[in-house]
Amino acid sequence: MGNPHILAIAYPAQGHVIPLMELVICLSKHGFKITFVNTESIHKRVISAFSVEDYVGETINFVSIPDGMEPWEDRNDLGRLTETMAQVMPGKLEELIEEKKGIDNDEITCIIADENMGWALEVAEKMGIKRAAFWPAAAATLGLLLRIQELIQSKILDDDGSILKCQTFTLSPTMPTMSTEIFAAFSGSNAGKIIFKSVLKNNELLKLADWIICNTTPELEQGALSSFPEIIPIGPLMASNRLGNSAGHLWPVDTTCITWLDQQPACSVIYAAFGSFTLFDLSQLRELAQGLELTNRPFLWVVRPDMTNEKIKMYLKEFEGRIHKRGRIVSWAPQDKVLSHPSFLNQNYICDVWKLGLGLTRSEKGLITTEEINNKEESDGPDGATSKA
């Protein structure tokens, strides 16, 4: 019998693909054969970003399956994407696994699935395959998702994700206080309700997992891990651990920003990045830009290529003309390198536990205003910056 064959399937977002890629590279170096499954929409971008120095031989095979959406459809519509993936991908994944049955040294022996792809655990259970659920972020965030049903029963949330009571709460005495504002993304939109429904279903499907593994470490999250003993910490999953570069970027990385950072004073730079799905309209983007300008600090701001339209491009061009001496706007940054001086996880830990940063509060119109950004920079918080590199 050959080496164990692991099928890994990632949620098609930057912050999910890269950590899972780091995990399978590590497993491959320990002799496991890997099949890494992407959606067709991101497959070519992932492959093109997987550099020669990171490739570890013939033990990692990249394949893709359709997500159910047409090529021209907007995959930033997370409600639509979530629905179609759950409808189409289970059958396609089952077909892929069936193809490998009976082939010497090629049969799948274990599936590692992103927790957001709970249906993959269901496919694995149906086919008698060992299964691990993978969470790419903080254990506290996963713990919050696992306790959503309790928040519904406590009448803090409605059963569609709407916030019934604006308040703070704690999941356990060993964890930081959280706010119901965390659930704002679920409220007020059809997409939010679809995603919330998916979260509840994934919580149930997570019970099918033989292991729940998480990209965290006890040194950072002892409280969360003691409150959720079922979560196994295997992190931090970082390219620097293997003296390599992160693999699996969905956009070309602008590495020149590291040279620019090296020229700035220590602990002086504000870093603004909003993940691979967040979208801004011109009003919010203008407020953020003006707030960064008012801070009078050097800043690095990531504005994804798919975040911009012609009006936003025009505004950013004019904005860059004003701030080019102390600000840098890039389409995508090597985030592990940016945050390695120092590293952050999320707002609750940054602000409340590690005391390294300040949270930003939305206005009644739902905007983070210019004044809010500037006032936080001038406050008596940790060195006066929201998050710094």
Side-chain angles (χ1 to χ4, degrees):
M1 183 177 178
N3 293 343
H5 188 174
I6 294 174
L7 183 148
I9 183 164
Y11 185 80
Q14 188 73 87
H16 296 252
V17 173
I18 289 179
L20 186 56
M21 189 77 77
E22 287 301 319
L23 175 58
V24 300
I25 289 173
C26 178
L27 291 172
S28 178
K29 289 183 176 180
H30 282 81
F32 291 88
K33 183 175 182 179
I34 307 293
T35 292
F36 196 96
V37 181
N38 294 304
T39 61
E40 289 178 349
S41 63
I42 69 167
H43 185 64
K44 288 183 180 178
R45 288 189 283 169
V46 171
I47 295 299
S48 65
F50 198 65
S51 63
V52 174
E53 66 185 85
D54 287 315
Y55 197 74
V56 289
E58 298 299 325
T59 55
I60 297 182
N61 179 41
F62 293 94
V63 300
S64 65
I65 56 178
D67 59 17
M69 296 181 73
E70 297 295 338
W72 59 85
E73 289 190 87
D74 181 10
R75 285 169 174 79
N76 287 311
D77 182 348
L78 297 187
R80 167 78 173 144
L81 179 63
T82 298
E83 280 187 323
T84 56
M85 285 197 303
Q87 291 167 359
V88 173
M89 293 183 73
K92 297 298 182 181
L93 181 63
E94 190 170 338
E95 289 175 11
L96 176 63
I97 296 170
E98 285 287 355
E99 287 175 8
K100 296 183 178 295
K101 276 190 174 181
I103 302 175
D104 289 344
N105 303 324
D106 211 31
E107 189 163 339
I108 302 297
T109 53
C110 181
I111 287 180
I112 301 176
D114 190 292
E115 193 272 346
N116 288 284
M117 314 284 261
W119 48 262
L121 300 174
E122 194 170 31
V123 170
E125 192 266 346
K126 173 185 175 182
M127 303 184 78
I129 300 171
K130 289 289 186 180
R131 47 216 171 265
F134 174 67
W135 183 250
T141 309
L142 177 56
L144 174 64
L145 297 180
L146 295 176
R147 293 282 176 85
I148 278 182
Q149 195 62 48
E150 294 179 20
L151 298 178
I152 294 173
Q153 292 170 354
S154 301
K155 304 298 182 182
I156 293 174
L157 296 179
D158 202 348
D159 57 11
D160 65 357
S162 301
I163 300 170
L164 296 177
K165 285 192 255 181
C166 293
Q167 64 181 69
T168 58
F169 60 92
T170 56
L171 299 180
S172 83
T174 63
M175 294 177 65
T177 300
M178 299 182 180
S179 168
T180 49
E181 190 175 343
I182 294 173
F183 299 103
F186 295 133
S187 301
S189 71
N190 185 56
K193 292 177 181 179
I194 292 171
I195 296 168
F196 188 78
K197 183 179 178 181
S198 175
V199 168
L200 293 178
K201 184 170 184 180
N202 284 332
N203 283 349
E204 288 300 310
L205 294 175
L206 198 60
K207 297 173 184 177
L208 300 176
D210 296 295
W211 307 277
I212 302 173
I213 54 180
C214 181
N215 183 18
T216 191
T217 173
E219 286 78 8
L220 292 178
E221 291 199 276
Q222 187 58 58
L225 293 170
S226 63
S227 300
F228 297 91
E230 67 271 32
I231 299 176
I232 303 170
I234 60 167
L237 295 167
M238 300 167 61
S240 58
N241 292 345
R242 56 183 172 83
L243 303 179
N245 296 313
S246 292
H249 289 279
L250 304 186
W251 289 276
V253 173
D254 185 344
T255 56
T256 63
C257 66
I258 301 300
T259 303
W260 178 83
L261 278 174
D262 290 340
Q263 298 168 357
Q264 309 306 315
C267 295
S268 67
V269 178
I270 297 173
Y271 179 56
F274 299 91
S276 53
F277 275 115
T278 304
L279 295 176
F280 288 140
D281 58 23
L282 182 58
S283 297
Q284 178 62 86
L285 187 128
R286 185 185 290 115
E287 293 286 340
L288 178 56
Q290 292 172 350
L292 290 171
E293 187 175 11
L294 281 175
T295 64
N296 277 325
R297 285 180 175 267
F299 63 85
L300 176 63
W301 184 10
V302 179
V303 181
R304 296 192 323 269
D306 67 339
M307 193 189 286
T308 59
N309 54 36
E310 286 306 313
K311 288 184 178 180
I312 289 176
K313 287 177 182 177
M314 290 177 62
Y315 177 79
L316 288 176
K317 184 176 180 180
E318 182 270 331
F319 178 66
E320 284 186 285
R322 297 200 309 268
I323 54 82
H324 70 278
K325 290 185 179 180
R326 65 174 177 85
R328 188 72 178 265
I329 300 176
V330 297
S331 60
W332 199 251
Q335 185 154 278
D336 54 339
K337 288 184 170 60
V338 171
L339 296 181
S340 65
H341 36 127
S343 176
F344 299 122
L345 281 182
N346 62 35
Q347 179 177 311
N348 285 80
Y349 279 102
I350 292 169
C351 302
D352 303 329
V353 179
W354 301 327
K355 310 296 184 184
L356 295 172
L358 299 169
L360 296 171
T361 303
R362 295 178 183 273
S363 70
E364 292 181 358
K365 294 182 179 180
L367 294 176
I368 296 172
T369 64
T370 298
E371 291 77 15
E372 170 69 1
I373 296 169
N374 188 45
N375 289 342
K376 282 295 172 66
E377 195 280 328
E378 293 176 344
S379 75
D380 294 327
D383 298 326
T386 304
S387 59
K388 302 167 295 180

